[in-house]
Amino acid sequence: MSKSFFTGTEAELAIGSRAFAEKISASWAEYGLPEAAAAAYVAADAEWQAAYQATSNRNNRTVAEVTTKNSAEKFVRQMASALAKVIAGNAAVSDSTRIKLGLSVRDAASPLPPPGIPVRFTFVLNGIGTGLLKWACDNPRGARGTMYEVWRSGGFGTERVFLGVVGTKRFHDTTLPAGVASVTYHVRAVRSRKAGDWVQHNVSFGVTPGMAKLIAAQTRTIAA
């Protein structure tokens, strides 16, 4: 099995991350990535590269610079790992393409079936503009590394917005538009080279006309 760039040394991460950012920025759709996810990674890589360069001289670097570098490094490794799982879930991306991206490839395909379908959603408002979405997902026995893509539609537009990729069955939404009557979350599980079905979950807030405050939340899961 080949090695992913984000599991290597800092020097390997710096070289691999830059190349990965350039490739997904230029051809995000080819790899099955949302454009917003590719853009977010490019920004995270830029911060990491700058912090890494700032600490390259051991004699001149400060404690604050090292702290910033360590934080940026941890974040970019986590993002790269999450995006690698999304890319692996795209059957149109070949093993050779993944290797060119600097990602690991298993010697043999996983015999496991696709990941499960998210069910039993709950949503709790934490305050104006923030909420916690939770769900359950019955993945195949022995399955590891399952991630979840989360999108949102509704609000003041109908277009779906990419929110993120998480490795737990919960998502903190900190960008809820104030004053909307409802939004719909779109969630699916991805693992290795397989992806589960999309599930839509509608959240109604019971917003009184003219008020920006979210009064209550009622949820409903619907077919994708």
Side-chain angles (χ1 to χ4, degrees), residues 6 13 41 71-85 147 165-167:
F6 53 83
L13 177 64
Y41 186 84
S71 178
E73 177 185 351
K74 180 179 179 180
F75 185 59
V76 83
R77 287 185 191 274
Q78 290 175 337
M79 282 196 68
S81 177
L83 295 185
K85 288 182 174 63
M147 306 293 289
V165 180
V166 293

Side-chain angles (χ1 to χ4, degrees), residues 37-77:
Y41 186 84
V42 169
D45 174 69
E47 292 184 8
W48 148 244
Q49 299 289 350
Y52 177 64
Q53 290 300 320
T55 58
S56 59
N57 189 327
R58 293 178 176 271
N59 297 322
N60 295 332
R61 63 188 184 184
T62 65
V63 173
E65 287 174 333
V66 173
T67 300
T68 298
K69 184 266 295 181
N70 290 342
S71 178
E73 177 185 351
K74 180 179 179 180
F75 185 59
V76 83
R77 287 185 191 274

Side-chain angles (χ1 to χ4, degrees), residues 67-214:
T67 300
T68 298
K69 184 266 295 181
N70 290 342
S71 178
E73 177 185 351
K74 180 179 179 180
F75 185 59
V76 83
R77 287 185 191 274
Q78 290 175 337
M79 282 196 68
S81 177
L83 295 185
K85 288 182 174 63
V86 175
I87 293 172
N90 184 354
V93 180
S94 66
D95 286 348
S96 61
T97 297
R98 290 170 63 196
I99 292 174
K100 290 177 182 178
L101 285 171
L103 305 179
S104 63
V105 174
R106 292 182 179 276
D107 294 331
S110 171
L112 292 174
I117 300 174
V119 295
R120 299 193 297 279
F121 284 82
T122 61
F123 183 88
V124 178
L125 280 173
N126 296 327
I128 296 177
T130 66
L132 175 61
L133 180 70
K134 295 182 179 181
W135 60 89
C137 189
D138 186 15
N139 292 306
R141 183 183 298 274
R144 296 181 180 178
T146 300
M147 306 293 289
Y148 301 90
E149 282 187 63
V150 184
W151 295 64
R152 188 187 66 221
S153 61
F156 296 112
T158 57
E159 183 177 348
R160 290 204 307 177
V161 176
F162 174 74
L163 297 181
V165 180
V166 293
T168 59
K169 302 180 184 72
R170 60 175 58 201
F171 182 82
H172 290 270
D173 190 352
T174 60
T175 60
L176 277 169
V180 298
S182 67
V183 296
T184 298
Y185 290 98
H186 310 258
V187 183
R188 74 168 178 174
V190 295
R191 187 198 71 252
S192 185
R193 296 182 63 81
K194 297 172 183 175
D197 293 335
W198 285 102
V199 174
Q200 298 179 15
H201 183 67
N202 180 262
V203 180
S204 299
F205 299 111
V207 177
T208 301
M211 293 181 62
K213 183 178 181 180
L214 301 179

